[in-house]
Amino acid sequence: MAELNENTFWISGIINGEYRECDGPYTTTKDMSDKGYPYVTKTPNPNFTHQKYDYTAHEWVDTSDDALLHTVEDVKEAVTELKSNSQSNTQSNDQLDKKLDKLTTLVIMSNVQVGEIRKELQAVKAQNQSAAATQPTEPTQNTTPEVEGGNK
C-alpha cells in the first residue's frame, strides 16, 4: 500500500461566501501546490499577528492595526513629498516657461532682423541692377583721332 503524504495549507480569501485572512493550518492528503486562490501552501509569517496573503507579490502581508497605522503614515509622507515635489516642479516649470518665452522672443526678433536685412539686400541689388542698366556702356574702341607726327 502507498504511503499517504500530508500537505499543509492555509486559506486566505473568500471561500463559501466568507472572507478569511489567514485561516489554518489545514492538512490533506491531496496535492495543494497547484490549487491557487484561496489556498496558500506558503507558511505564514510568525512575526505577524494578523495577516493575509498577497497573491500578486506571493507573500504574507501584515494587516494588524499597527501595520495599517504605519501604512497610513507612509502614505501621508508620500503625499506630502509629492506635494512638495509638485510645488517645486511648478516653480521650476514657471522658470522654464519664462526662459522659453525669452528664447521665443529672441527668435522672433532675430527673424525680424533677418527679414529687414533681406529687404535691404534686395533694395541694394535692385539699385545695382538699375544703375547698371542706365549707365552708358564704355566704348570698345577709342574714337578720338590720333595725331601722327611730332610736335606742332
Side-chain angles (χ1 to χ4, degrees):
M1 187 169 227
E3 186 178 319
L4 298 176
N5 290 329
E6 285 192 351
N7 294 305
T8 305
F9 68 95
W10 289 261
I11 297 174
S12 183
I14 298 173
I15 188 166
N16 297 330
E18 185 181 324
Y19 178 75
R20 300 179 189 181
E21 273 195 351
C22 180
D23 190 17
Y26 294 99
T27 56
T28 184
T29 55
K30 295 181 182 180
D31 181 15
M32 297 300 289
S33 62
D34 62 348
K35 293 294 182 194
Y37 181 88
Y39 305 104
V40 181
T41 57
K42 185 174 184 179
T43 305
N45 189 329
N47 297 324
F48 298 159
T49 55
H50 296 287
Q51 56 194 314
K52 68 178 182 178
Y53 192 73
D54 182 341
Y55 289 91
T56 304
H58 303 288
E59 63 184 16
W60 288 97
V61 178
D62 191 359
T63 59
S64 67
D65 291 344
D66 289 339
L68 293 175
L69 181 61
H70 290 297
T71 302
V72 169
E73 289 171 359
D74 291 345
V75 169
K76 281 183 180 179
E77 285 179 28
V79 168
T80 303
E81 184 178 335
L82 286 172
K83 282 182 180 179
S84 173
N85 288 343
S86 174
Q87 288 173 351
S88 67
N89 284 343
T90 300
Q91 291 171 354
S92 66
N93 284 344
D94 289 344
Q95 291 171 349
L96 288 173
D97 285 344
K98 287 178 184 177
K99 288 179 181 179
L100 186 58
D101 287 344
K102 285 181 182 179
L103 287 172
T104 304
T105 302
L106 288 172
V107 167
I108 291 171
M109 290 172 59
S110 67
N111 286 343
V112 168
Q113 289 176 345
V114 166
E116 289 174 3
I117 290 171
R118 281 188 178 166
K119 285 180 186 177
E120 290 176 15
L121 283 174
Q122 288 174 347
V124 168
K125 219 180 200 182
Q127 284 177 351
N128 286 345
Q129 287 175 350
S130 67
T134 57
Q135 283 183 349
T137 57
E138 291 185 24
T140 54
Q141 313 176 15
N142 188 356
T143 57
T144 53
E146 287 187 26
V147 179
E148 289 187 26
N151 293 341
K152 290 191 181 177

